[in-house]
């Protein structure tokens, strides 16, 4: 006998008998062959209370009757039914990995050979076959869509090809990162057997393991080797599958698993116990459920946590966790041009040249010997900017000169044209022969000496300097002859909206659908802040699809932002996918703030995936205001830190509120418009509210909150330039803030007058 599966059903009423329970169970396990024979169940029902399970009478079942002695259960309670059968067909999927088979230049004989062996066994049902090129993402995509919890629920996935030393062989590299557990024993068994046949087996790189209860085995590409390898483990495969699917000795063992299995320890299965805990009141301060681990993917809704398993941490603690875990800035070399704006210089830059590197006139006028004083002098020549040689001047000689022109050798000053007069014009009447100098000038007057603006070797821009949009830094680098600089690389940010109900804003809406507000708003904010973005579109709430798009996004970006799917809803899978399938570390999954409480920050290590570096992901709540506000509070500062900016926070100002504000238990960031306390609006306000005064001296701004602050109401963000930082409510001490109260406000947009 072996267990073939579990159903979670709910007791409905005691007496509404209908149909046969076994038939109902059989219909839920259509693949079981023969039909299920025995049922078991837990947490249990009492004989007294036993009744209908989803409308089916369980009293007909002898096993239930014999086992329900001392158990308690109430109407509406969930219970787990375990179904057993004598034998089971395991579903198999075969993936042939080969560029040549994929593009039709070779025939796929390996999968045919594997199919023959499996069919002989009568235990395997080949449900899927797929041909893919030697490409990591494509291989992973098929595996992810076949493993259990996906649409296909394949028990055994065999890959043939791509396990050698060839440059295109990447099957092990595709499989390794997506395994939950590695099964080296299977690899060793295959290698040991193959080495007895040929020493070349040493050049095969098999990888075996488990993902979501599906066993994955990589086999060589040649039909002969693939067949030999599979045969070497064939007799132990059914047992391996039984264990992986948790089918052996299910009843008691399942209970033991809950207590002992590492995986069950890590992830949340507690609600199963809570399901029979019926004390009828909430434990708001009970933190025992805070395991900081996401619910196991695939766990039925009734068994999932009913309170978030994530500790609610403070805003400050969340920022500190980000500071400790964001990817450190990387250095790159960039050309000095307008694309450099927004980058931060990562090393001190010294001038390579003197500026100016020749003696240049500061004015249009006449180069002279300053000791000659006032008087009339012969004009010897003219020097205009851009000419590379001019005459050598002697005492009593002068030379016409333009701004920026090379000062003649010997000249000690330049007199402005306005302080001179023409005494005698040349014969052609076009130039002057003799000019009167009407003022005394001192030595060096109106001459920019060599290096007088910047000396060669002088520090031009310090490490950490931000290249601003005012252009001064770029201009400075340009005029000192620096054409390339080392800067911190700016992160590439990928943006994904999630939700079955979410559609692109240009689409017609179906019933129950909403337009995607988050990608358009976040991408604009990212772009305007000067970061490169990758638009990942909208993903449905399907774990396999979500994982696939997240993997793709992470392979292309440094920071991933997702919106939606992080709360407590039935379809909120983001936390579980990031933690369980991408092996990410959830650094926080709940923050005490409003809006945006479920914001989640995850670090995804490179070694567990195939990324070139660690990645980070911000999973923001789906409501448009929550998404945008948490972007400014958490994501934008992080993007700036990754880009090397030293200031760790967005700028803050002190503001005075103009209306009373009821506080929320959580610190709140309300959307508001700040204006100068001297602005016409502010003057008008004080004219009509003569009794209201700012409680602090020297306050520069008043703020008006932008209407109703619900987190779905994006209108509250219109016209916003600050987020005012409201403290959390303290009963009896701090409940309502009165007009005139002064607070910090985070500046997110320019503040006009
Ligand atoms: P969730 O965080 O997925 O539970 O979603 C919370 C609310 O936000 C739901 O009402 C969603 O329909 C809505 N929502 C989620 N994503 C978006 C989006 N991209 N644009 C607009 N509304 C959204
Ligand atoms: Mg959702």
């Amino acid at each position: 006998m072996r267990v073939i599966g579990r159903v979670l059903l709910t007791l409905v009423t005691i007496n509404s008998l209908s149909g046969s329970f076994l038939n109902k169970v059989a219909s839920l396990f259509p693949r079981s062959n023969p039909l299920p024979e025995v049922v078991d169940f837990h947490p249990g029902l009492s004989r007294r209370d036993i009744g209908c399970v989803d409308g089916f009478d369980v009293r007909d079942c002898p096993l239930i009757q014999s086992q329900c002695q001392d158990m308690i259960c109430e109407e509406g309670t969930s219970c787990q039914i375990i179904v057993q059968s004598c034998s089971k067909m395991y579903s198999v999927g075969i993936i042939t990995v080969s560029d040549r088979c994929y593009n039709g230049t070779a025939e796929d004989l390996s999968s045919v050979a594997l199919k023959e062996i499996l069919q002989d066994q009568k235990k395997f049902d080949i449900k899927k076959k797929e041909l893919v090129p030697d490409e990591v993402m494509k291989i992973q995509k098929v595996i992810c869509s076949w493993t259990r919890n996906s649409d296909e629920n394949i028990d055994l996935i065999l890959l043939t090809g791509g396990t050698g030393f060839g440059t295109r062989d990447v099957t092990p590299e595709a499989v390794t990162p997506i395994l939950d557990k590695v099964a080296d024993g299977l690899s060793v068994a295959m290698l040991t057997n193959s080495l007895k046949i040929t020493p070349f087996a040493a050049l095969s790189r098999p990888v075996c393991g488990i993902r979501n209860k599906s066993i994955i085995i990589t086999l060589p590409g040649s039909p002969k080797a693939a067949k030999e390898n599979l045969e070497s483990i064939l007799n132990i495969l059914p047992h391996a599958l039984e264990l992986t699917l948790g089918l052996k000795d299910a009843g008691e063992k399942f209970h033991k698993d809950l207590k002992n299995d590492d995986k069950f320890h890590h992830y949340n299965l507690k609600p199963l116990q809570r399901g029979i805990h019926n004390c009828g009141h909430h434990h708001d301060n009970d933190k025992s459920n805070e395991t900081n681990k996401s619910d196991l993917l695939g766990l039925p809704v009734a068994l999932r946590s009913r309170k978030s398993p994530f500790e609610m941490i403070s805003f400050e603690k969340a920022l500190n966790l980000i500071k400790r875990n964001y990817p450190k800035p990387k250095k790159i070399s960039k050309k000095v041009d307008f694309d450099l704006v927004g980058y931060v210089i990562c090393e001190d830059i010294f001038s390579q040249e003197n500026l100016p590197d020749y003696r240049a006139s500061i004015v249009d006028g006449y180069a002279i010997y300053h000791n000659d004083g006032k008087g009339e002098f012969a004009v010897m020549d003219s020097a205009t900017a851009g000419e590379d040689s001019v005459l050598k001047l002697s005492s009593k000689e002068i030379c016409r000169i333009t701004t920026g022109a090379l000062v003649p050798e010997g000249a000690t000053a330049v007199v402005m044209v306005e302080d001179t007069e023409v005494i005698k014009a040349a014969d052609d009447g076009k130039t002057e022969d003799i000019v009167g100098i009407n003022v005394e000038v001192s030595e060096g007057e109106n001459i920019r000496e060599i290096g007088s603006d910047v000396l060669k070797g002088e520090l031009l821009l310090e490490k950490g300097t931000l290249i601003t949009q005012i252009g001064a830094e770029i201009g400075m680098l340009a005029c000192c002859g620096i054409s390339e600089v080392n800067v911190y690389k700016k992160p590439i940010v990928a943006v994904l909206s999630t939700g079955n109900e979410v559609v692109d804003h240009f689409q017609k809406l179906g019933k129950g659908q909403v337009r995607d507000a988050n990608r358009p708003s976040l991408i604009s904010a990212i772009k305007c802040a000067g970061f490169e973005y990758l638009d990942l579109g909208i993903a449905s709430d399907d774990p396999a699809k979500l994982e696939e798009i997240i993997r793709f996004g992470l392979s292309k970006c440094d920071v991933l932002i997702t919106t939606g799917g992080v709360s407590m809803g039935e379809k909120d899978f983001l936390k579980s996918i990031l933690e369980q399938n991408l092996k990410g570390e959830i650094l926080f999954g709940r923050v005490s703030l409003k809006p945006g409480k479920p914001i989640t920050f995850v670090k995804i290590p490179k070694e567990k995936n195939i990324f070139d570096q660690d990645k980070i992901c911000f999973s923001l709540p789906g409501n448009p205001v929550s998404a945008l506000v948490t972007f400014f509070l958490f994501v934008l500062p992080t993007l700036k830190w990754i880009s090397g900016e030293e200031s760790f926070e967005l700028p803050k100002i002190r503001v005075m509120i103009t209306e009373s504000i009821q506080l929320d238990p959580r610190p709140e960031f309300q959307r508001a418009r700040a204006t100068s306390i001297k602005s016409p609006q502010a003057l008008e306000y004080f004219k009509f509210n003569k009794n209201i005064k700012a409680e602090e001296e020297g306050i520069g701004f008043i703020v008006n909150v932008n209407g109703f602050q619900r987190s779905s109401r994006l209108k509250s963000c219109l016209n916003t330039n600050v987020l005012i930082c409201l403290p959390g409510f303290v009963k009896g001490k701090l409940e309502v803030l009165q007009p005139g109260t002064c607070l910090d406000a985070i500046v997110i947009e320019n503040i006009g007058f």
Side-chain angles (χ1 to χ4, degrees):
M1 299 282 190
R2 68 170 62 88
V3 174
I4 59 166
R6 300 185 171 95
V7 225
L8 188 100
L9 298 174
T10 305
L11 279 180
V12 183
T13 60
I14 296 184
N15 285 318
S16 57
L17 309 183
S18 63
S20 143
F21 173 67
L22 273 182
N23 282 343
K24 162 76 175 173
V25 172
S27 73
L28 291 166
F29 294 92
R31 279 198 286 119
S32 63
N33 183 18
L35 288 178
E37 292 170 355
V38 187
V39 292
D40 187 8
F41 66 97
H42 58 85
L45 317 169
S46 75
R47 196 207 314 260
R48 183 167 29 86
D49 291 329
I50 200 159
C52 270
V53 176
D54 266 7
F56 290 87
D57 187 17
V58 291
R59 282 174 296 183
D60 287 341
C61 176
L63 192 88
I64 289 187
Q65 288 183 15
S66 68
Q67 292 197 353
C68 64
Q69 301 293 336
D70 301 309
M71 303 169 178
I72 344 138
C73 191
E74 291 177 20
E75 207 173 285
T77 302
S78 298
C79 67
Q80 180 115 353
I81 309 291
I82 294 167
V83 183
Q84 300 190 351
S85 168
C86 289
S87 66
K88 172 171 164 53
M89 293 286 277
Y90 295 105
S91 57
V92 182
I94 303 175
I95 305 173
T96 303
V97 184
S98 160
D99 285 339
R100 293 201 304 131
C101 292
Y102 184 74
N103 60 30
T105 54
E107 203 181 336
D108 171 20
L109 298 175
S110 306
S111 72
V112 178
L114 297 176
K115 204 170 160 189
E116 274 172 15
I117 307 172
L118 293 170
Q119 275 168 346
D120 283 351
Q121 296 293 305
K122 310 247 179 305
K123 282 184 187 147
F124 300 101
D125 177 11
I126 296 159
K127 302 272 289 184
K128 300 290 286 182
K129 265 181 75 178
E130 189 79 48
L131 202 52
V132 294
D134 292 278
E135 284 173 33
V136 168
M137 298 291 286
K138 296 206 168 131
I139 299 170
Q140 289 181 337
K141 185 173 168 188
V142 179
I143 299 175
C144 292
S145 65
W146 284 5
T147 46
R148 297 193 72 81
N149 299 333
S150 69
D151 294 342
E152 303 296 344
N153 269 348
I154 300 289
D155 300 325
L156 173 64
I157 300 175
L158 300 176
L159 293 100
T160 164
T163 57
F165 279 48
T167 48
R168 296 278 299 161
D169 288 335
V170 291
T171 305
E173 286 64 42
V175 173
T176 306
I178 55 173
L179 291 179
D180 298 333
K181 295 179 181 170
V182 176
D184 282 340
L186 292 175
S187 309
V188 171
M190 291 196 293
L191 279 174
T192 312
N193 189 62
S194 306
L195 284 166
K196 286 184 199 149
I197 303 168
T198 166
F200 286 100
L203 302 185
S204 173
R205 304 181 299 124
V207 168
C208 302
I210 300 162
R211 175 188 164 84
N212 290 347
K213 298 198 171 184
S214 301
I215 294 187
I216 300 168
I217 293 172
T218 65
L219 301 164
S222 97
K224 180 174 175 298
K227 184 167 173 282
E228 285 163 1
N229 273 262
L230 182 60
E231 279 170 343
S232 68
I233 53 169
L234 202 53
N235 55 352
I236 51 166
L237 268 184
H239 186 54
L241 284 158
E242 249 171 21
L243 292 170
T244 308
L245 290 166
L247 304 185
K248 212 134 180 116
D249 306 320
E252 268 184 45
K253 179 152 186 303
F254 186 69
H255 275 305
K256 271 197 210 143
D257 283 345
L258 293 181
K259 293 201 190 90
N260 304 331
D261 189 315
D262 189 41
K263 188 161 185 175
F264 290 129
H265 259 182
H266 270 84
Y267 299 106
N268 287 300
L269 276 169
K270 277 191 183 158
L272 185 63
Q273 286 105 18
R274 282 209 297 274
I276 53 169
H277 167 81
N278 253 326
C279 59
H281 59 88
H282 296 289
H283 299 286
D284 280 343
N285 299 322
D286 178 12
K287 292 183 172 285
S288 60
N289 62 318
E290 287 176 1
T291 56
N292 285 322
K293 289 282 170 190
S294 55
D295 275 337
L296 194 60
L297 260 181
L299 199 64
V301 169
L303 296 184
R304 290 197 214 150
S305 306
R306 306 208 76 79
K307 284 186 186 175
S308 173
F310 290 91
E311 183 195 347
M312 177 116 82
I313 60 168
S314 68
F315 177 52
E316 291 70 29
K317 187 167 175 190
L319 282 182
N320 280 332
L321 278 165
I322 300 176
K323 279 177 201 167
R324 287 212 295 275
N325 288 284
Y326 72 86
K328 295 297 160 274
K330 279 202 227 137
K331 299 177 180 184
I332 51 163
S333 170
K334 287 266 320 162
K335 280 212 176 73
V336 173
D337 59 24
F338 40 77
D339 278 341
L340 199 61
V341 173
Y343 281 88
V344 174
I345 301 289
C346 69
E347 59 199 20
D348 289 346
I349 296 178
F350 299 92
S351 176
Q352 308 290 312
E353 293 168 2
N354 286 312
L355 187 66
D357 76 342
Y358 64 92
R359 296 175 73 226
S361 174
I362 293 175
V363 295
D364 297 317
Y366 294 85
I368 61 164
Y369 267 78
H370 74 283
N371 280 337
D372 290 344
K374 294 196 244 179
E376 293 176 2
F377 301 95
V379 178
M380 306 306 294
D381 200 351
S382 92
T384 56
E387 285 174 342
D388 60 0
S389 71
V390 284
L391 85 163
K392 191 164 182 258
L393 216 60
S394 306
S395 179
K396 308 285 183 205
E397 293 176 350
I398 65 171
C399 172
R400 196 177 334 108
I401 191 164
T402 63
T403 305
L406 223 139
V407 174
E409 220 180 294
T412 55
V414 178
V415 178
M416 286 168 71
V417 70
E418 290 87 340
D419 295 328
T420 65
E421 61 185 303
V422 178
I423 304 296
K424 181 172 177 289
D427 291 345
D428 61 5
K430 290 182 181 166
T431 53
E432 333 93 323
D433 270 353
I434 296 177
V435 162
I437 303 293
N438 299 336
V439 292
E440 301 259 347
V441 289
S442 51
E443 186 173 5
E445 201 161 320
N446 293 328
I447 294 177
R448 282 165 72 213
E449 290 297 343
I450 291 172
S452 57
D453 283 354
V454 177
L455 266 181
K456 185 173 175 181
E458 187 180 323
L459 181 62
L460 270 188
L461 297 181
E462 221 174 317
K463 176 182 175 185
T465 304
L466 174 69
I467 307 290
T468 67
Q469 59 195 11
I470 71 166
E473 296 83 10
I474 293 183
M476 191 75 247
L477 292 167
C479 67
C480 290
I482 294 166
S483 55
E484 219 161 277
V485 283
N486 289 334
V487 291
Y488 293 113
K489 183 178 174 292
K490 285 208 249 177
I492 300 171
V493 190
V495 183
L496 173 70
S497 287
T498 75
N500 287 342
E501 77 282 29
V502 182
V503 295
D504 267 315
H505 63 281
F506 44 79
Q507 272 183 21
K508 213 165 169 247
L509 280 188
K511 195 145 197 180
Q513 292 187 320
V514 297
R515 295 208 170 83
D516 184 3
N518 295 344
R519 263 182 324 134
S521 64
L522 292 175
I523 288 176
S524 335
I526 292 165
K527 197 163 174 254
C528 293
F531 297 99
E532 204 180 312
Y533 69 89
L534 173 68
D535 182 352
L536 293 177
I538 302 167
S540 60
D541 295 315
D542 169 330
K545 291 193 181 123
L546 277 168
E547 180 182 346
E548 186 192 330
I549 186 79
I550 288 174
R551 271 189 193 285
F552 170 77
L554 287 171
S555 72
K556 303 267 178 231
C557 75
D558 303 291
V559 177
L560 171 68
I561 304 176
T562 64
T563 64
V566 278
S567 308
M568 296 295 292
E570 179 179 352
K571 298 283 180 186
D572 290 341
F573 297 125
L574 260 294
K575 285 177 163 109
S576 302
I577 290 169
L578 290 165
E579 183 172 39
Q580 291 158 43
N581 293 5
L582 283 129
K583 314 296 174 215
E585 186 184 353
I586 300 187
L587 290 153
F588 57 81
R590 229 167 24 132
V591 180
S592 178
L593 87 170
K594 191 182 171 187
K597 181 175 70 169
I599 179 175
T600 299
F601 174 59
V602 188
K603 183 171 167 180
I604 298 151
K606 62 174 179 199
E607 61 275 8
K608 297 270 178 70
N609 296 284
I610 40 162
F611 308 135
D612 53 337
Q613 55 169 69
D614 291 351
K615 309 277 168 136
I616 55 170
C617 172
F618 288 94
S619 287
L620 312 181
N623 266 316
V625 178
S626 313
L628 202 55
V629 168
T630 49
F631 171 81
F632 283 110
L633 295 180
F634 297 96
V635 187
L636 188 57
T638 311
L639 298 181
K640 288 171 178 276
W641 304 334
I642 300 176
S643 319
E645 280 192 45
E646 279 164 11
S647 147
F648 264 33
E649 258 138 51
L650 297 184
K652 272 186 187 159
I653 54 172
R654 287 296 280 177
V655 297
M656 184 203 96
I657 59 171
T658 50
E659 283 160 55
S660 63
I661 300 178
Q662 169 70 51
L663 296 177
D664 187 85
R666 283 173 273 150
E668 187 173 358
F669 295 87
Q670 290 201 352
R671 287 69 72 198
R673 178 144 199 96
T675 43
S676 160
I677 208 145
K678 302 230 164 74
S679 65
Q681 297 98 303
L683 297 178
E684 182 88 350
Y685 173 80
F686 287 115
K687 195 164 127 197
F688 290 102
N689 296 278
K690 291 211 162 58
N691 54 338
I692 293 176
K693 297 223 157 13
E695 64 180 8
E696 286 175 18
E697 294 270 310
I699 280 288
F701 302 92
I702 61 160
V703 278
N704 291 310
V705 171
N706 287 343
F708 182 31
Q709 298 276 307
R710 189 165 62 195
S711 59
S712 58
R713 189 175 170 268
L714 202 49
K715 224 178 151 202
S716 68
C717 293
L718 297 183
N719 225 359
T720 285
N721 53 12
V722 293
L723 300 173
I724 48 175
C725 312
L726 299 170
F729 167 106
V730 185
K731 187 143 187 60
K733 289 193 180 151
L734 193 62
E735 298 185 3
V736 178
L737 297 183
Q738 298 305 336
T741 307
C742 296
L743 298 163
D744 280 342
I746 297 173
V747 180
I748 60 169
E749 181 48 285
N750 292 338
I751 300 179
F753 176 67

